[in-house]
Amino acid sequence: MTMANKNRKRIDDFVSICSSFDIVDLSHPLEEQMPIWPGLSKYYHTLWFSIHYGDAATAYQLVMSEHTGTHVDAPGHYVPSGYPNHKWVDQVDLENWMGRAALIDCRDIKPRSEVPARKVIDWERSNGKLRTGDIAVFNFGWYEKWATRPDDTEFLKNWPGLGPECIEILIDRGIKAVGVDTLSPDIYASEGDPVHHTLLGEGIMIIENLANLRLPSPLFYLISLPLKIRGGSGSPVRALALVPK
């Protein structure tokens, strides 16, 4: 078999494998009046020119923070230049934004409470031990509170987060990213954002404001590619779950 035929077969095999998965959109839509971290720029989607008004085409201007909607945090968001594991979003290897993901059900965690290590251990008892390079995704059911203003108040306060023992076990397992359906993996109003500092300091990426986490499988393949923003501390993403049919 020639190299060209081998490559063609490999592509065909890959297409066949992909067809055995459902694609689930884990992203919130970008729209004006959506929830934004207090103090950051609001999202603006402004008509720039329009066919309706006689222009040759229609286009809008976007104004937003890097940390808008479903988005990722790169280490440079909290880790200063010159420190170990400091990287801007465009410097992070693409493999860090995609991979096998463990969906950990935390819908029973009360508001402003922490996820204990036992949540990860219980998941492992049912699904096998987390592997080096996995992504841990925590479903608090918080995405169901997502709403545009003035109905966003419930989403913007009192969310739960990860406890120190939970973070310790994730680091021990060698995960490469953590995903949550809240504004932050830190508990609401926690001082100093310790979870951000610990995870990003360890070179573990953070994915926030995930949606639609009621998936049929505790294991899936996650893709959350950021924009290639030079010197960016984060970026909005279109997060996708590939779930076995």
Side-chain angles (χ1 to χ4, degrees):
M1 183 181 292
T2 66
M3 182 59 68
N5 286 336
K6 285 182 180 179
N7 288 341
R8 188 177 300 111
K9 184 178 185 305
R10 292 174 69 187
I11 292 296
D12 289 342
D13 289 344
F14 178 73
V15 171
S16 177
I17 290 171
C18 288
S19 67
S20 67
F21 289 82
D22 286 323
I23 300 175
V24 181
D25 190 350
L26 303 185
S27 310
H28 289 289
L30 295 174
E31 58 182 327
E32 293 188 340
Q33 311 302 326
M34 67 182 179
I36 299 289
W37 185 272
L40 291 182
S41 168
K42 298 294 189 291
Y43 173 83
Y44 298 98
H45 181 234
T46 306
L47 186 64
W48 196 254
F49 47 77
S50 169
I51 295 172
H52 178 74
Y53 294 113
D55 296 310
T58 297
Y60 288 77
Q61 174 181 254
L62 299 180
V63 178
M64 60 180 167
S65 162
E66 296 169 324
H67 304 272
T68 296
T70 304
H71 69 275
V72 297
D73 291 352
H77 187 35
Y78 275 81
V79 180
S81 299
Y83 280 69
N85 291 321
H86 166 86
K87 284 185 179 180
W88 298 119
V89 71
D90 61 310
Q91 297 171 327
V92 175
D93 291 338
L94 292 176
E95 290 80 4
N96 286 63
W97 305 119
M98 60 180 76
R100 194 181 87 138
L103 181 60
I104 301 171
D105 188 355
C106 294
R107 287 174 292 173
D108 61 332
I109 300 296
K110 295 180 180 179
R112 300 188 76 158
S113 298
E114 65 180 38
V115 176
R118 67 169 174 79
K119 276 291 184 182
V120 177
I121 295 169
D122 288 347
W123 185 94
E124 290 182 324
R125 284 176 181 154
S126 300
N127 304 286
K129 196 170 182 179
L130 289 172
R131 301 173 186 170
T132 298
D134 277 349
I135 300 170
V137 176
F138 294 86
N139 176 19
F140 296 103
W142 214 257
Y143 70 89
E144 295 180 354
K145 301 176 185 289
W146 182 275
T148 55
R149 285 185 290 173
D151 301 317
D152 60 346
T153 54
E154 289 301 310
F155 185 85
L156 289 169
K157 64 181 182 181
N158 297 329
W159 62 80
L162 306 186
E165 292 180 357
C166 178
I167 295 168
E168 185 177 338
I169 199 169
L170 294 176
I171 293 172
D172 178 71
R173 298 295 190 265
I175 62 149
K176 63 184 178 184
V178 164
V180 294
D181 61 345
T182 56
L183 275 171
S184 170
D186 282 286
I187 297 172
Y188 174 75
S190 58
E191 284 191 32
D193 299 326
V195 177
H196 272 86
H197 281 284
T198 301
L199 292 178
L200 296 176
E202 292 285 338
I204 297 171
M205 306 304 126
I206 297 174
I207 310 162
E208 297 168 330
N209 293 335
L210 289 167
N212 304 324
L213 290 179
R214 192 170 292 179
L215 301 177
S217 172
L219 278 169
F220 63 99
Y221 193 88
L222 175 64
I223 301 172
S224 55
L225 295 175
L227 298 173
K228 195 172 183 179
I229 303 170
R230 190 173 300 280
S233 66
S235 168
V237 298
R238 186 70 177 267
L240 303 174
L242 276 61
V243 183
K245 290 183 177 178

